[in-house]
Amino acid sequence: MDKEQSSIYDKERRYASFLSDVVLLIQDEHDEVSVLANVAAALKEAFGFFWVGFYLVKEKEGSEQQLYLGPFQGPTACYRIRYGKGVCGSAWKQRQSLVVPDVEEFPGHIACSSLSRSEIVVPIFTKEGGVVGVLDIDSTDLATFDDVDRENLEQLCRLLTTNLY
Ligand code: SME
């Protein structure tokens, strides 16, 4: 096994252990803010990500639906993101995960921190298939996220759907 394969294998093992811990962490609690807050903390603890958090679709009186900042860990962040805007709003609109190896190459990227250099955003669905929000993770290094992250974070978001939505 070469160095790259061994680091992929290592990451897969870390996610496998993380996901089985998350099942136990959230199984007895169904309050949205409480569960998302603990999942953000668990991701930060397990992987040391620079910024990890949730943006949730909400419709406030008299205005269109937007993503609003939810539970997170890391530096302060933008409060609202419009449908189709930035990486988060694009993942919401496209209803699919977006892996961005270099945020400067993503047209319309929203820079909450100038230190963020790569990013992954995974939509969270209701059981009926509506988007309730996104999981957003930022790194200070380029090209931090790959298919292993995407597949495992999608699995995490499916656990959230089962538990909360
Ligand atoms: N970069 C995101 C905005 C959220 S922050 O990264 C926390 C975007 O382009 O949607």
Side-chain angles (χ1 to χ4, degrees), residues 91 96-98 120-124 133-136 150 153-154 157:
Q96 64 177 17
S97 302
L98 295 177
I120 183 168
V121 178
V122 179
I124 305 166
V134 299
L135 166 64
D136 178 14
R150 184 182 54 72
L153 295 170
E154 285 175 353
C157 289

Side-chain angles (χ1 to χ4, degrees), residues 50 100-102 115-119 138-145:
F50 171 65
V100 180
D102 181 351
L115 296 175
S116 284
R117 301 190 71 197
S118 62
E119 177 163 3
D138 290 12
S139 167
T140 54
D141 295 322
L142 290 171
T144 295
F145 307 103

Side-chain angles (χ1 to χ4, degrees), residues 2-67:
D2 65 25
K3 210 172 154 193
E4 193 183 327
Q5 279 175 319
S6 118
S7 87
I8 290 172
Y9 179 66
D10 200 44
K11 186 150 79 167
E12 278 170 344
R13 281 182 38 174
R14 287 170 67 200
Y15 270 115
S17 159
F18 174 78
L19 288 171
S20 54
D21 288 349
V22 165
V23 169
L24 299 176
L25 177 69
I26 70 176
Q27 66 185 358
D28 296 324
E29 182 53 66
H30 303 283
D31 179 78
E32 184 183 41
V33 169
S34 306
V35 168
L36 297 183
N38 258 349
V39 169
L43 277 165
K44 177 87 171 165
E45 283 272 299
F47 297 96
F49 294 128
F50 171 65
W51 194 93
V52 45
F54 296 92
Y55 279 91
L56 301 171
V57 175
K58 290 186 188 173
E59 190 172 336
K60 304 272 179 178
E61 216 175 308
S63 74
E64 61 189 350
Q65 281 193 331
Q66 292 184 61
L67 289 170

